[in-house]
Every structure is written in structure tokens, then in C-alpha cells.
């Protein structure tokens, strides 16, 4: 019998399946102003969406902090005891948001956690600014608590390999992992790569056309090979040109197009999709994420009410067919 959790409470239909809390944002006693790392990007995304009149506070779902009992669904007690709780409260709240958004995605057809995507963390090991395995947790909560959800696909499009969830789901046939990443950068986890069912390794400086073509073709094949009950989309923006850690050269427009094609391909199959925002901390990142969400809305790929959306919006291909 699953434990009692605050994260799976009923959400009124009047609220959009967009999950956020002001507690997501991290402050280092003012030091964040001196560093290119944008520790308040999540709040800025919401501010941009409010400015564009897409959302208001009353339309958002307030994320709750994941409790120790919630985290123990995946993590070991020993690992949790090693972490300092106070400093990590924002990350625990973002983790709770991902778990909440998983349930909402199944109920509404889609959901976006404006934070989360800690894909380097596994059950007993953190890494790369990732303290909690929110993607693994969201999927395991769904498997345990939601009837009809027994197969999941992770589409990890952050610039870095998602070695945390790969280690957690190693050998688990219910979970199919597609990972598209710069082959030359952190973490280079050869053991974890064994869990990737569709691996797309990129070179330094990969640009829009090559990238979008590879994402679309491989996503179509992934969904054919393993038809899932839910897709978790790790939508990292560290693929953006100028990101020194990501090492790729995708334009802001390329990122918006990427998110559009993932939502179009997944939703055309009537599969629920949960998006998390993951890595990418340049000063312009928040604006790009907001623009992407606005684009999804303008195309009818996300709507407040919808498990069912018009087929007309979904069935047209985003990219021209590949030339033989």
C-alpha cells in the first residue's frame, strides 16, 4: 500500500496544469547577482507569462515540498541523511512539483513543471546540481498510484547525458529512455549509457537543422518501438548557443521549435506529456522558456481544459520529410 502523500491531492479544473512555487528560486545571500548562473530563472519564466497575460497566480498549481516519505520511494535513507535539508528546500519543492505534474499530465493530457529535471541524481547519488531524482520519482509514483500507467518514455534533451534516471531504471523494461546529448561533456557515464534505448550523441557546436532533424526522427522511432502510457520530457535549455557547459549551438528559435515538435509528436498519439525545464542558466534562458510555452499555447498544443485537442493542430509534420 503506497504511503499517504500531500502531492497527489485533487487540483480544481480552474487551474492549469502548470506547477510552480516562489520557493523554487535559490538565493546565495546575494552572490547569485555576481554569477552567470541565473538562480531565479523559474520565477522569471512565470513573470514573463503573466506579462503576456497567459497565466495569473490563481491559474497556477502551487508546488508542495516533497516529504522524506515521498523521497524514500526512490532514495535511500542513508542518502537523504547526508543532505542538508534547509539549503535544499527549493530543490525539494521543485521535486514535489514534478511528482504533482506527473499526476496532472495523466489527468489533463499535459503538464509543465516550471522547475525540476534533476537528471544527474539517482537513488543513492547526487551530482551536477541535482540533489533529488525527480524524474524517477514522478514515474514511480505514477506506476504505484495511477491505474493504467505501466509504461513510460523519458525524452531527455538537456545537453548533458541523463545518467541519474538511467541508473535508476537500468534493466527496467517498463521505462524506455531516449537521450540526446553532447558526447564530449559531463558526465560521460559509460555504465549509465547501457540503460539508453535510443542514444543520440552530438558533436561540439551542433546547430539547429541537424539537431531538430535528429530529435524528430528519433522521437518518432522511440514512440513506435515502445508505445508509452506517459512521456516525461526533460527540456533542458543548456543546448543554447553560448552555454559554455553545454557546448552546442542551438538558437533561441531552435529551442522553441524543439519543444513544439516534441509536444506535437507526443500529443498526436494522445499520450500524456510531462515537461520539466532542467539545465540552462544563462540570463536569457527564462525568456526562451516563456516564449516556448506561449508558442505551445498559440498552436493549441496546450490548453487549460484539454485531454482532447483538435487533430488539425497535431497531424501536420513540423519538419519536411528527410531527403533520401
Amino acid at each position: 500500500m503506497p504511503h499517504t502523500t500531500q502531492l497527489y491531492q485533487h487540483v480544481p479544473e480552474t487551474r492549469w496544469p502548470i506547477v510552480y512555487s516562489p520557493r523554487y528560486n535559490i538565493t546565495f545571500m546575494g552572490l547569485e547577482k555576481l554569477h552567470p548562473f541565473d538562480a531565479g530563472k523559474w520565477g522569471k519564466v512565470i513573470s514573463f507569462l503573466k506579462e503576456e497575460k497567459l497565466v495569473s497566480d490563481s491559474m497556477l498549481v502551487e508546488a508542495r515540498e516533497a516529504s522524506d516519505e515521498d523521497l524514500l520511494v526512490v532514495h535511500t535513507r542513508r542518502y537523504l541523511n547526508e543532505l542538508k535539508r534547509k539549503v535544499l528546500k527549493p530543490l525539494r519543492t521543485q521535486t514535489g512539483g514534478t511528482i504533482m505534474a506527473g499526476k496532472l499530465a495523466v489527468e489533463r493530457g499535459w503538464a509543465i513543471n516550471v522547475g525540476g529535471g534533476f537528471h544527474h541524481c539517482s537513488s543513492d547519488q547526487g551530482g551536477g546540481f541535482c540533489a533529488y531524482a525527480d524524474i524517477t520519482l514522478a514515474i514511480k509514483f505514477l506506476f504505484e498510484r495511477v491505474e493504467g500507467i505501466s509504461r513510460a518514455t523519458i525524452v531527455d534533451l538537456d545537453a548533458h547525458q541523463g545518467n541519474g534516471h538511467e541508473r535508476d531504471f537500468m534493466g527496467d523494461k517498463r521505462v524506455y529512455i531516449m537521450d540526446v546529448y553532447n558526447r564530449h561533456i559531463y558526465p560521460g557515464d559509460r555504465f549509465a549509457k547501457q540503460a539508453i534505448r535510443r542514444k543520440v550523441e552530438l558533436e561540439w557546436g551542433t546547430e539547429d537543422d541537424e539537431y531538430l532533424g535528429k530529435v524528430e526522427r528519433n522521437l518518432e522511432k522511440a514512440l513506435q518501438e515502445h508505445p508509452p502510457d506517459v512521456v516525461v520530457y526533460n527540456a533542458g535549455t543548456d543546448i543554447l548557443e553560448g552555454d559554455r557547459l553545454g557546448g552546442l549551438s542551438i538558437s533561441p528559435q531552435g529551442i522553441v521549435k524543439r519543444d513544439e515538435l516534441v509536444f506535437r509528436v507526443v500529443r498526436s498519439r494522445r499520450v500524456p506529456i510531462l515537461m520539466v525545464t532542467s539545465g540552462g542558466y544563462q540570463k536569457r534562458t527564462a525568456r526562451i522558456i516563456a516564449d516556448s510555452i506561449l508558442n505551445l499555447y498559440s498552436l493549441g498544443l496546450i490548453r487549460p481544459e484539454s485531454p482532447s485537442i483538435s487533430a488539425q493542430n497535431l497531424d501536420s509534420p513540423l519538419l519536411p520529410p528527410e531527403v533520401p
Side-chain angles (χ1 to χ4, degrees):
M1 185 72 181
H3 72 279
T4 302
T5 180
Q6 297 291 306
L7 302 179
Y8 263 35
Q9 293 186 348
H10 173 72
V11 173
E13 290 289 326
T14 51
R15 293 184 181 265
W16 284 44
I18 297 177
V19 183
Y20 171 72
S21 166
R23 293 193 298 275
Y24 280 12
N25 300 292
I26 299 163
T27 54
F28 303 107
M29 297 169 291
L31 294 176
E32 69 280 357
K33 296 188 178 71
L34 306 174
H35 194 278
F37 174 91
D38 187 354
K41 77 169 183 178
W42 306 280
K44 290 174 187 167
V45 171
I46 295 298
S47 295
F48 288 133
L49 294 178
K50 287 178 179 175
E51 283 173 20
E52 300 287 347
K53 305 290 191 285
L54 183 70
V55 299
S56 62
D57 284 334
S58 64
M59 296 161 64
L60 299 171
V61 177
E62 172 93 22
R64 296 167 179 263
E65 184 180 346
S67 68
D68 280 354
E69 290 72 26
D70 295 325
L71 296 169
L72 285 166
V73 169
V74 166
H75 290 291
T76 62
R77 175 73 70 181
R78 179 179 176 182
Y79 174 73
L80 294 183
N81 288 344
E82 288 171 355
L83 296 172
K84 290 187 170 61
R85 177 167 183 158
K86 187 178 178 186
V87 176
L88 295 167
K89 192 179 183 75
L91 304 185
R92 288 173 73 110
T93 307
Q94 291 190 37
T95 297
T98 300
I99 297 167
M100 293 167 70
K103 177 174 179 280
L104 280 165
V106 172
E107 292 172 349
R108 309 284 186 89
W110 65 277
I112 297 170
N113 181 15
V114 175
F118 306 132
H119 66 157
H120 297 307
C121 185
S122 59
S123 62
D124 60 356
Q125 188 174 354
F129 186 63
C130 300
Y132 301 109
D134 66 317
I135 292 172
T136 307
L137 280 157
I139 291 171
K140 291 209 167 177
F141 264 70
L142 287 169
F143 284 171
E144 286 183 4
R145 295 168 184 267
V146 179
E147 197 174 342
I149 305 295
S150 60
R151 290 160 65 90
T153 291
I154 299 169
V155 178
D156 195 332
L157 302 188
D158 187 274
H160 301 261
Q161 176 200 354
N163 61 321
H165 56 73
E166 289 160 9
R167 283 174 171 263
D168 285 337
F169 289 119
M170 184 76 67
D172 190 333
K173 295 284 190 283
R174 299 173 299 174
V175 180
Y176 182 108
I177 297 172
M178 168 177 156
D179 200 348
V180 183
Y181 56 89
N182 183 338
R183 68 193 304 161
H184 301 291
I185 61 174
Y186 175 89
D189 188 334
R190 283 186 291 180
F191 174 74
K193 285 181 185 181
Q194 297 173 71
I196 305 173
R197 303 269 285 278
R198 185 156 286 274
K199 178 171 60 179
V200 183
E201 296 190 320
L202 303 173
E203 296 297 333
W204 293 110
T206 298
E207 296 181 351
D208 289 16
D209 288 349
E210 178 188 351
Y211 177 78
L212 291 170
K214 285 182 172 177
V215 168
E216 185 168 41
R217 288 191 295 275
N218 283 281
L219 180 58
E220 294 273 11
K221 289 173 183 173
L223 296 173
Q224 287 165 9
E225 286 175 14
H226 179 93
D229 300 314
V230 65
V231 167
V232 179
Y233 170 36
N234 197 48
T237 46
D238 52 1
I239 63 171
L240 180 64
E241 58 198 5
D243 190 300
R244 289 173 296 182
L245 298 177
L248 303 175
S249 296
I250 310 304
S251 69
Q253 297 78 13
I255 291 174
V256 171
K257 220 56 163 163
R258 176 200 66 175
D259 295 348
E260 177 186 329
L261 83 81
V262 171
F263 268 74
R264 192 187 299 282
V265 170
V266 173
R267 300 220 63 203
S268 68
R269 287 168 166 73
R270 301 294 188 269
V271 176
I273 181 169
L274 157 61
M275 171 176 153
V276 290
T277 57
S278 199
Y281 300 97
Q282 295 187 62
K283 294 299 183 189
R284 56 189 178 144
T285 296
R287 179 75 245 185
I288 295 167
I289 296 169
D291 285 345
S292 180
I293 294 171
L294 289 162
N295 182 59
L296 294 174
Y297 176 74
S298 72
L299 294 169
L301 293 168
I302 60 173
R303 291 289 182 191
E305 71 285 345
S306 66
S308 58
I309 54 182
S310 82
Q312 183 183 353
N313 289 334
L314 296 169
D315 293 336
S316 57
L318 189 66
L319 297 172
E322 190 179 3
V323 178

